[in-house]
Amino acid sequence: MKSPRLLLLLPLVTLFPTLPLLAQDAPAVDIAAALQSIAPALASAEKALVLWEEAIRATQFAGVSRESAAFREWKEKEGDALSSPLGKSALLLYFRWLHLTIQRDAGTPVKELLPQIFAYSRDLLADEQLVIENEEAIRKEKELATLANPGNPAAKKGPPAPVHKASHDQSRRAHDAILKRGLSGSPIVQWLRLADFINPGEWESNPGNFDGIYLKIIQAAYREAKDPKALEYWDLKIRREGDAAARTRLAFDADKFTSLQRPILLWNRAEELHLIGMRNRGILEMLNLIRNHPLHPQAAAWIKRLELILAPPTEGAEAAPTPTPDAPNPTPIPAK
């Protein structure tokens, strides 16, 4: 007679034929088995959801009395949110980043993975847009709920707001639980015993951290190659932060971005020019920033930095730290 646990896993093995049956006392898997165990989840959101739910069952409900009932209760509460467009997007992105991380940890050069990483970053931006649309839906739902309140003198009569299987707020929480934390703490890594395969150096462990992925991996490759594409990150960063400030509909946020944060990002962009070998253009943009923003809180530090860049080269100059997206102060760049 088959054990209850084996009977529990048989449907999963049918769906994922390469998935190893992992008991708590099973030996750690090798690289090939690690990649095979998650490969089916790359094919569709449905398969990704099945694997994620089974990991939740194994890590959060194993050994608990009324295990099946407790899991069913969780699934009834969270399942619709995981099946929402936002939940599916997060699941697919999670498994793609886990797959890339295991490959990199196994020694695959970043250069070989870079096209996939760049495609991933584009899809992560598309996911970010889904989150923005979801947040707008949450805002509208709150407005409708306020207007529908009988005690509200501004209440409007009309058809009730549409009812969703999972609310937009639930979908956002499910999305962030999958995508906004490090791989090491995720149920998939714990269940499939993948902790030894997700620790490559100079890598981003959080699959939803666009800035970390871009700066640590893509931007680093562009800098090494002295590729002007390194400027694209700062242009994108400026646009994203400007859009975020505009979405708040607060004049204060828009003014703060224009007068404070945007000049800092433009300075980092000018530093990038210097780092990729376009020294004169970088100096010119730094000069323009100082002229156009003489009262900026970082103006004095910018002037000091520019003086350092223009000074005659000296032996033993300290290597320049690379720009970071939200650095409140410029980091010194040695004279060349």
Side-chain angles (χ1 to χ4, degrees), residues 233-255:
Y233 171 78
W234 299 107
D235 294 335
L236 177 61
K237 181 74 173 173
I238 290 168
R239 185 167 67 251
R240 289 169 68 215
E241 292 204 7
D243 290 345
R247 282 195 301 274
T248 68
R249 297 176 173 83
L250 297 175
F252 172 79
D253 289 339
D255 291 343

Side-chain angles (χ1 to χ4, degrees), residues 96 202 232 322:
R96 283 172 62 188
E202 299 301 321
E232 293 176 358
T322 53

Side-chain angles (χ1 to χ4, degrees), residues 283-317:
I283 289 172
L284 179 60
E285 293 195 7
M286 290 176 185
L287 281 169
N288 288 334
L289 273 167
I290 292 170
R291 290 194 189 104
N292 294 334
H293 303 277
L295 301 180
H296 192 281
Q298 300 304 320
W302 292 344
I303 292 170
K304 184 177 180 180
R305 175 80 65 85
L306 188 55
E307 289 174 346
L308 179 63
I309 292 171
L310 295 173
T314 57
E315 292 185 6

